[in-house]
Amino acid sequence: MQKAIFITGASSGLGKATAKLFQQKGWKVIATMRNPDKETDLAGLENVTLLQLDVTDTNSIEAAVTVAIGSDDVDVVFNNAGYGLMGSLEALTDKQILKEINTNLLGVIRITKAFIPHFRERKQGLFISTTSMGGFLGFPLHSIYHATKFGVEGWSESMSFELGLHNIGIKTIAPGGISTDFTGRSLDRSSHRAYTELEDKLFANIDRMMEAAATPEQIAEIVYEAATDNKDQVRYVAGNDANAMYARWLEIGKEDFRREIRQQFLGR
Ligand SMILES: NC(=O)c1ccc[n+]([C@@H]2O[C@H](COP(=O)([O-])OP(=O)(O)OC[C@H]3O[C@@H](n4cnc5c(N)ncnc54)[C@H](OP(=O)(O)O)[C@@H]3O)[C@@H](O)[C@H]2O)c1
């Protein structure tokens, strides 16, 4: 029986690569995005349906989920929409903070909540959310981004228990760098004169870190693995850079790892 996946943020990057991979593997793909009218790559592909969805808009979520489950059984929901927010807390406005939390954390929670009754009725289903290696370790000047990605990691772990009662799975994909629009148009950033030196170091470091970035197609393969391996596992660390950092984090422990990051950026 043909399976179906519902994807958020499918207009570019990892969301689009995942939509293409699952389509090639013979799945039905419900590719959601804020502006489906502008989409040319996915439009017209066999078994791909485009739907309008802004994860911060509850009416849009309700409409998209109603259409999706009205036409097909959905097997996997991939919560992927998200963007970066960089800057010291002092540099960020309340509006910037709320928008980031609304998109990266509440968006995931709302979409999941909307699909649970469908999965519970079917006694099966799987949620997968894109977090980040920034969902278990912290870098400077990304505090609100980390709050959202740590949030999705902890929330997923807790949700695994209540969803498990109904044979519903929940997993996270935690990538390192991915060569997408993430550090370009999908990055909101603000500066503050009290943090200039750290900002400069961070920007220089990010360019270097992105040289080791995975392609969205490589990370999409991990999403496919998570969707099909039937493993009782919540977190999938994805990409060579993230796996190397994860191994180091496990090897020396959280506190020493944090001191290493401080040494790297603050030189002490
Ligand atoms: N690239 C990296 O280095 C990296 C590393 C770790 C984790 N991640 C995570 O990977 C996920 C995908 O990012 P990406 O790297 O593929 O970047 P991307 O190419 O910029 O894709 C981000 C996607 O999120 C969508 N989006 C943003 N706000 C939305 C909203 N309110 N409603 C619906 N869609 C929204 C964007 O849609 P529009 O086209 O409408 O803007 C776009 O499709 C994100 O959750 C990100 O945090 C990325």
Side-chain angles (χ1 to χ4, degrees):
M1 168 112 175
Q2 191 177 30
K3 293 200 158 197
I5 182 168
F6 179 99
I7 303 175
T8 68
S11 63
S12 69
L14 177 58
K16 178 173 278 188
T18 303
K20 286 183 176 169
L21 179 65
F22 278 71
Q23 190 268 350
Q24 284 158 17
K25 300 274 189 187
W27 286 51
K28 282 187 193 166
V29 176
I30 302 141
T32 75
M33 57 195 75
R34 287 189 283 197
N35 299 298
D37 298 346
K38 293 187 188 158
E39 179 54 39
T40 49
D41 280 355
L42 298 176
L45 283 185
E46 203 185 348
N47 291 322
V48 175
T49 305
L50 302 187
L51 287 183
Q52 199 281 334
L53 173 61
D54 180 332
V55 301
T56 65
D57 176 348
T58 48
N59 292 331
S60 141
I61 293 174
E62 200 185 316
V65 174
T66 304
V67 171
I69 61 181
S71 48
D72 268 312
D73 283 340
V74 173
D75 297 283
V76 176
V77 170
F78 181 37
N79 284 308
N80 165 74
Y83 71 95
L85 178 60
M86 191 196 292
S88 61
L89 189 57
E90 280 197 88
L92 303 178
T93 63
D94 200 50
K95 197 174 165 195
Q96 284 176 303
I97 294 169
L98 282 174
K99 188 177 171 201
E100 176 78 339
I101 294 173
N102 207 6
T103 307
N104 290 11
L105 177 61
L106 297 180
V108 173
I109 293 173
R110 288 192 197 103
I111 301 273
T112 303
K113 188 160 188 267
F115 271 103
I116 292 175
H118 178 65
F119 283 176
R120 191 164 41 73
E121 228 167 78
R122 299 188 64 217
K123 298 185 178 58
Q124 65 178 67
L126 175 65
F127 295 104
I128 305 177
S129 303
T130 309
T131 57
S132 165
M133 64 182 168
F136 57 90
L137 50 88
F139 292 101
L141 301 179
H142 279 82
S143 63
I144 304 300
Y145 182 72
H146 286 301
T148 65
K149 296 298 188 179
F150 269 68
V152 175
E153 284 286 342
W155 168 83
S156 301
E157 210 165 298
S158 175
M159 285 299 294
S160 72
F161 305 112
E162 67 194 66
L163 293 177
L165 278 179
H166 301 289
N167 196 36
I168 301 166
I170 187 161
K171 299 185 174 187
T172 64
I173 303 293
I178 322 172
S179 47
T180 63
D181 289 345
F182 186 73
T183 52
R185 71 177 183 94
S186 290
L187 181 64
D188 182 11
R189 71 194 213 190
S190 289
S191 299
H192 187 290
R193 59 187 157 67
Y195 303 89
T196 317
E197 204 181 317
L198 184 55
E199 286 166 6
D200 291 346
K201 271 197 184 157
L202 183 72
F203 294 143
N205 233 289
I206 282 182
D207 289 343
R208 211 170 39 246
M209 280 166 77
M210 288 310 281
E211 284 167 17
T215 63
E217 289 75 21
Q218 285 169 328
I219 305 301
E221 291 285 351
I222 312 290
V223 180
Y224 189 76
E225 180 190 327
T228 54
D229 66 6
N230 290 315
K231 276 193 190 157
D232 178 16
Q233 174 179 329
V234 172
R235 179 188 285 161
Y236 290 67
V237 178
N240 293 338
D241 54 350
N243 273 297
M245 269 190 250
Y246 190 48
R248 180 78 183 147
W249 184 78
L250 291 175
E251 183 194 341
I252 64 173
K254 284 183 194 181
E255 294 297 339
D256 276 346
F257 190 89
R258 181 183 56 78
R259 288 183 197 106
E260 273 193 358
I261 297 275
R262 186 179 61 203
Q263 179 66 36
Q264 193 182 339
F265 287 95
L266 294 123
R268 61 183 133 96

